[in-house]
Amino acid sequence: MPDSTSTSRVAGGDVVEGRQRLVFVDKGDYYELSPLGVFADGVVSWRYESTDFDGLRAAFDDGTLTLTPPEGASLIITGTARGTVPALESWLTPELVIGELADEVDVLNDRPDSSRRCWDALLAYAADPTGAHLEAVRESYHAVPEHRRIHVLGDMDQNDVPVRILLAEVGETIPARRPGRTLAVTPEVRERALDYFRRSEAGVARAEAQRVADGPETTVPLVVGGYVYPSGWPDPAGLEVLQTDYPAAVTSGGREYASVMHAYWALSTGDAGWHDRIAAAARGLDARTLGEEAPRRAGWPTARLGVMAALLRDKFERHPAMAATLLGTGDARLLYNDRSSKYWSSGGANWLGRLLELVRSELATR
């Protein structure tokens, strides 16, 4: 099982990505094995508790959370088993776990984690081996959780030996990569270590140029959709124009509909009476309410994606100002907020967000 797995929570209508791992929670009469989650916004949670990293450290300090409950204590693994705690020995400490989770928050926010910060400091020192740069290497290396330092270079043939060579004094003997062996640090050994990072930097630069030759691999997410305005839409509207219920006439089969949502739900039924009632609804949300009650036409689950794609293409073709708003989102990943459907929403398959990205790409080629 990996150290941590993906999780998420909804905050203010937005999906906040996170990571979770297992921890023991002291419940008074027993200990419970429970997920400990950390999220991109720095929130830390377990069971019904929500805090930050200071609160997490305090919970470990006062025993609320532990990695090794006492032998013989009552234990519950929710939904799985109960019994008593066997003799446990953790290879981690609370501080190491906190360090791992802090790295997870950096990764979730597309920031360099402690290992990457150490790598950047090493490259800076290799390019300009001054005392100040060496101290930056020392500080960043010791900021990496201790049990992860061996992997800081991502090189199984070297482990972290080149780093420890640079941090040692000439004449000092340090543990080598293989257990039981040592390595004497000489000026020549230090120079080879420096050259290791110089060559690594050049190789990484070449690989990075090839990897992103056609542009970035990841983009900043942007949440759209989900807004309701009982008193009327904003004027002028912003990203609201990307919503399927925004009033923007579209056509399908030679018939005009008041919005994409009107058209989508009217076309979802094979009953002519229901079709006309849905098409005549006052608002897009009213059309959806009626459409959910209407009988579905045969094969709709297979056809619906193509119908929505065609309606979105027509919408942005017919309304250039709205197309400009869509293009204005750049290359952002679009997360569509639609709580009524996991199929269309970012809480599930995010097909509306993906189709908007597709139409945006098609518009950009013109």
Side-chain angles (χ1 to χ4, degrees):
M1 180 177 179
D3 292 342
S4 61
T5 57
S6 296
T7 187
S8 65
R9 76 181 211 286
V10 176
D14 294 336
V15 176
V16 183
E17 299 298 329
R19 302 286 292 176
Q20 65 181 1
R21 61 182 303 139
L22 295 175
V23 69
F24 293 98
V25 182
D26 185 355
K27 304 296 289 184
D29 297 332
Y30 62 92
Y31 285 84
E32 180 180 37
L33 187 62
S34 178
L36 170 66
V38 62
F39 299 88
D41 56 3
V43 170
V44 180
S45 67
W46 64 91
R47 292 294 289 167
Y48 305 111
E49 300 293 328
S50 182
T51 183
D52 54 17
F53 274 94
D54 289 337
L56 174 61
R57 185 173 280 105
F60 274 120
D61 288 343
D62 67 21
T64 300
L65 301 180
T66 184
L67 303 175
T68 53
E71 184 178 358
S74 296
L75 172 66
I76 291 179
I77 303 174
T78 302
T80 303
R82 67 183 305 157
T84 56
V85 178
L88 297 177
E89 182 178 354
S90 176
W91 55 87
L92 298 175
T93 66
E95 280 303 316
L96 291 178
V97 169
I98 291 170
E100 285 187 2
L101 294 177
D103 277 346
E104 297 283 12
V105 172
D106 285 331
V107 173
L108 288 167
N109 285 282
D110 294 321
R111 298 191 301 253
D113 65 2
S114 61
S115 293
R116 181 53 191 261
R117 292 193 295 272
C118 181
W119 175 259
D120 290 342
L122 285 160
L123 295 186
Y125 178 63
D128 183 19
T130 64
H133 280 151
L134 182 59
E135 283 309 305
V137 169
R138 192 183 310 278
E139 180 178 346
S140 61
Y141 176 72
H142 288 121
V144 177
E146 185 175 3
H147 62 300
R148 290 188 168 183
R149 292 173 192 167
I150 194 173
H151 307 298
V152 73
L153 304 181
D155 186 342
M156 295 179 63
D157 293 328
Q158 298 288 338
N159 291 344
D160 60 339
V161 173
V163 188
R164 292 190 287 105
I165 289 172
L166 296 181
L167 294 179
E169 298 291 337
V170 171
E172 187 178 345
T173 299
I174 64 172
R177 178 181 177 279
R178 294 184 179 180
R181 296 194 178 185
T182 59
L183 175 66
V185 178
T186 66
E188 293 76 20
V189 168
R190 287 194 90 258
E191 188 58 33
R192 286 200 297 270
L194 282 171
D195 189 55
Y196 170 89
F197 291 108
R198 292 172 184 140
R199 288 184 285 106
S200 296
E201 181 180 24
V204 168
R206 286 193 301 271
E208 183 70 10
Q210 294 170 352
R211 183 173 64 85
V212 296
D214 68 337
E217 291 186 335
T218 59
T219 57
V220 177
L222 178 65
V223 177
V224 299
Y227 296 101
V228 178
Y229 299 96
S231 301
W233 293 89
D235 186 16
L239 292 178
E240 294 85 1
V241 303
L242 305 184
Q243 296 187 197
T244 58
D245 58 327
Y246 187 81
V250 295
T251 59
S252 178
R255 177 161 179 172
E256 186 172 274
Y257 300 87
S259 73
V260 168
M261 189 171 284
H262 281 85
Y264 175 83
W265 284 105
L267 296 170
S268 75
T269 181
D271 185 292
W274 275 104
H275 174 281
D276 292 346
R277 287 179 61 195
I278 296 167
R283 302 178 307 160
L285 295 180
D286 298 327
R288 180 172 69 188
T289 299
L290 287 170
E292 289 170 345
E293 299 175 4
R296 296 283 75 75
R297 82 185 203 198
W300 181 245
T302 304
R304 58 180 172 167
L305 190 62
V307 169
M308 183 64 82
L311 292 172
L312 289 174
R313 288 189 176 104
D314 184 72
K315 171 180 176 176
F316 293 106
E317 179 72 28
R318 289 163 58 88
H319 303 280
M322 296 181 190
T325 298
L326 179 56
L327 285 168
T329 61
D331 65 347
R333 182 187 175 203
L334 300 181
L335 304 178
Y336 198 90
N337 188 9
D338 183 348
R339 296 181 183 178
S340 68
S341 171
K342 289 187 176 181
Y343 182 77
W344 297 115
S345 176
S346 60
N350 193 40
W351 270 115
L352 263 172
R354 295 157 75 181
L355 287 178
L356 284 170
E357 291 175 23
L358 174 63
V359 174
R360 180 183 63 192
S361 180
E362 292 171 349
L363 290 171
T365 64
R366 297 180 184 177

